[in-house]
Amino acid sequence: MEAQENGFGQELRRRRQEAGRSLSELAERVPCSRSFLSRVENGRRRPTYELAERCDDFLEAGGELLSLAPRPRPAREPRGGKERDGIRGPARTASKLVDRAAAVPPDAPSPASGHGEEFDRLVRRGDLRHAAGRMREADRCYREAHRLAEGRPRAQALAVARICRRWSDPGQVDRELLHLIGDSLAALRDDPGPEAGALRLQLNAHRAKKLSMAVSADTAVARAGPDSGAALARHTLHGLERADSAGAAGLGEEVRCEVLTECRWGLYDFAPAAASLALSERLRDAAVRHGSAHFRGESLMALAVDQLRMGRVYPALSTAQEHRRHAAASRSELARWQQRTLDTTLDLWHGRFAAAADWILRESAEYAERLAADLDVPAGNFRQTRMGQAYWLLREQGRMRELFAGGLADDVQEHGYFPVWRAGLVLALCETGAREQAADLLQAFADDTDGFRALPPHGWAVPTLALLAEACAAIGDRPELRPLVARLRERLAPHNGTGIALAGWPTVLVAPTAQACGVLALAAGEPDTALAHFRQAATPARTSAPQLARLRLWQARALRASGRPGAAAEAPRLLRPAHAVAQEYGMARLAAECAALLAGTGGAGGEE
């Protein structure tokens, strides 16, 4: 067989070797047989345009590799004048190639949908860019596919489902995407086909998540708040189960993964953490069966988040390690940013403050600037995550005054539409001695949320309540705040157990939920009840030396307030190791509070 002109093959080999990728690895990711790819590199086989495109994407050649490939020939009508499987021309050639190369590998892009060669090419190209973390480029491909599919509702719905994978600003509803989803659902309303049914499930799942992103009436769509998003998520999950039990045609693993991913987020603030964890585990299994890099990453982050919320720190460490391997293999900047954010959440929990500070104060700023400049992800995602981790680092190290001196407090106030930030500001005011101002802000918060009843039952409401619990204890016993303490206890009661209040997705682990319940019981003058809660909180707290030190301080305070026989001798046995840990980890405020109690003064210590 005569060798073909080898400009593409030589450049492919050069770029592959420069990237440190083996021929087998590239063949798995394209997908293609290793032997065929070897012959392409040696000029013994001509690559298809689709194969060249995938190689260009995987090796991040920026189109330079693709420019050396032969352009696709115009599609010819098959014999008999009918399409075969809805695929013609180069797409048919590529499908034959994949058939000969045996099974499609796990990270292969989505197969041709049969909606037209150019449409399928754009969707595949978008999928490859999305997997690489280049969301803006992916969005362009999906939108062009949507434009190209005008007059074909199923094809447009498929493109809309892909567009909806983009991230939205936390706490805000993406009205543009809701509009696109609504148009597609209306166009599919009378379509009885199984593909249309699967697309409706996907679109409703995305709509559920987008609606649930609202955190208040001001950020919601009129007459469609986050609770309606949660109701739609439940309805869509039931639809998925009915389709599964009926063996519905066209309901593949990709549809199942998409529905589970979006509905889990749609229910995040409205379902118990245990129910969310069950969905994450189903998603992980479906992602393994589907073999998609996108859903593998989604499932692992969701699983780690829910394991942490349940207080299962050690299983979460294992999941984080698995996600670390995924992020390295994906070569996606976005996946690496997610991994570092998760690592920093765990660093803060375990007291690795120097490592956390290195990421928060230096590396994350560089990541955020680079990714936000490319418009790959809304800047709010980076900004709020970094703000939350910076806030918590200052809090753990007893440096809360820097929150106000450095202007971070202004950023916190700017995001006051998200209630967790207002709760954080109340606690910050308490820990810097501004208790009167904190009490006023707490009362305003309670009035605005109808005595906290407007908060959702789960999700972001739990860390918000945990922060307010510590603020109430710091403000002290005030007659005007006693009704608020009672309402806070009522709202936190269902979360008493071995869980941990997790802020963000993830950002920081605030405290064991049982500890927050105990802090409120102590603020209400019930030290024995508080001690019972603290005993429960010890299970998750033992996975963190700094957190256990904080818990021991609260236990010592409850013992002193209880007046139990022997409490005066028992409290120091808790305070001494807590004080030693606080000093070892550089937790200045905590060390001062422990020292004050050991000295018998009972003072707050720290920054005041």
Side-chain angles (χ1 to χ4, degrees), residues 21 56 80 123 187 272 326 429 440 553 592 600:
R21 300 290 183 161
D56 188 282
V123 170
H326 159 76
L429 289 168
D440 290 340
L553 173 62

Short mmCIF file of all heavy atoms in Angstrom, two decimals, residues 21 56 80 123 187 272 326 429 440 553 592 600:
data_model
loop_
_atom_site.label_atom_id
_atom_site.label_comp_id
_atom_site.label_asym_id
_atom_site.label_seq_id
_atom_site.Cartn_x
_atom_site.Cartn_y
_atom_site.Cartn_z
N ARG A 21 2.04 11.44 25.76
CA ARG A 21 0.95 10.47 25.62
C ARG A 21 1.40 9.29 24.75
O ARG A 21 2.04 9.49 23.71
CB ARG A 21 -0.27 11.14 24.98
CG ARG A 21 -0.82 12.30 25.78
CD ARG A 21 -1.47 11.84 27.05
NE ARG A 21 -2.06 12.94 27.80
CZ ARG A 21 -2.99 12.80 28.73
NH1 ARG A 21 -3.42 11.59 29.04
NH2 ARG A 21 -3.46 13.83 29.37
N ASP A 56 -6.93 16.64 17.47
CA ASP A 56 -6.63 18.05 17.67
C ASP A 56 -7.15 18.52 19.02
O ASP A 56 -6.47 19.21 19.78
CB ASP A 56 -7.23 18.88 16.54
CG ASP A 56 -6.79 20.34 16.58
OD1 ASP A 56 -7.33 21.10 17.41
OD2 ASP A 56 -5.91 20.71 15.78
N GLY A 80 -30.25 3.14 -3.06
CA GLY A 80 -31.64 3.01 -2.66
C GLY A 80 -32.22 4.33 -2.22
O GLY A 80 -33.41 4.43 -1.95
N VAL A 123 -21.98 18.90 18.05
CA VAL A 123 -22.25 18.38 19.41
C VAL A 123 -21.04 17.64 19.95
O VAL A 123 -20.64 17.82 21.10
CB VAL A 123 -23.50 17.48 19.40
CG1 VAL A 123 -23.65 16.75 20.73
CG2 VAL A 123 -24.75 18.31 19.12
N ALA A 187 -42.14 22.61 22.14
CA ALA A 187 -42.03 22.02 20.79
C ALA A 187 -42.14 20.50 20.83
O ALA A 187 -42.58 19.88 19.84
CB ALA A 187 -40.70 22.43 20.17
N PRO A 272 -33.16 15.42 52.55
CA PRO A 272 -32.13 15.13 53.56
C PRO A 272 -30.82 14.70 52.89
O PRO A 272 -30.81 14.17 51.78
CB PRO A 272 -32.74 13.99 54.37
CG PRO A 272 -34.21 14.07 54.12
CD PRO A 272 -34.37 14.61 52.73
N HIS A 326 -9.13 11.43 38.29
CA HIS A 326 -9.96 11.85 37.16
C HIS A 326 -9.52 13.22 36.64
O HIS A 326 -9.40 13.43 35.43
CB HIS A 326 -11.43 11.91 37.58
CG HIS A 326 -12.27 12.78 36.71
ND1 HIS A 326 -12.69 12.40 35.47
CD2 HIS A 326 -12.75 14.05 36.91
CE1 HIS A 326 -13.39 13.38 34.91
NE2 HIS A 326 -13.45 14.39 35.77
N LEU A 429 -18.98 39.94 63.14
CA LEU A 429 -19.17 41.09 64.03
C LEU A 429 -19.07 40.66 65.49
O LEU A 429 -18.47 41.37 66.31
CB LEU A 429 -20.53 41.74 63.75
CG LEU A 429 -20.65 42.49 62.41
CD1 LEU A 429 -22.10 42.83 62.12
CD2 LEU A 429 -19.79 43.76 62.43
N ASP A 440 -28.40 43.47 66.01
CA ASP A 440 -29.32 44.17 65.10
C ASP A 440 -29.41 43.45 63.76
O ASP A 440 -30.51 43.28 63.20
CB ASP A 440 -28.84 45.61 64.87
CG ASP A 440 -29.02 46.49 66.11
OD1 ASP A 440 -29.82 46.11 66.99
OD2 ASP A 440 -28.34 47.53 66.20
N LEU A 553 -13.96 22.89 74.07
CA LEU A 553 -14.20 24.18 74.71
C LEU A 553 -15.69 24.33 75.02
O LEU A 553 -16.06 24.76 76.13
CB LEU A 553 -13.73 25.31 73.80
CG LEU A 553 -14.07 26.73 74.26
CD1 LEU A 553 -13.43 27.06 75.60
CD2 LEU A 553 -13.65 27.76 73.21
N ALA A 592 -6.86 31.62 73.28
CA ALA A 592 -7.13 32.63 74.29
C ALA A 592 -8.38 32.29 75.10
O ALA A 592 -8.43 32.48 76.32
CB ALA A 592 -7.28 34.00 73.64
N GLY A 600 -9.98 30.65 85.03
CA GLY A 600 -11.16 30.87 85.84
C GLY A 600 -11.86 32.18 85.61
O GLY A 600 -12.79 32.52 86.33
#
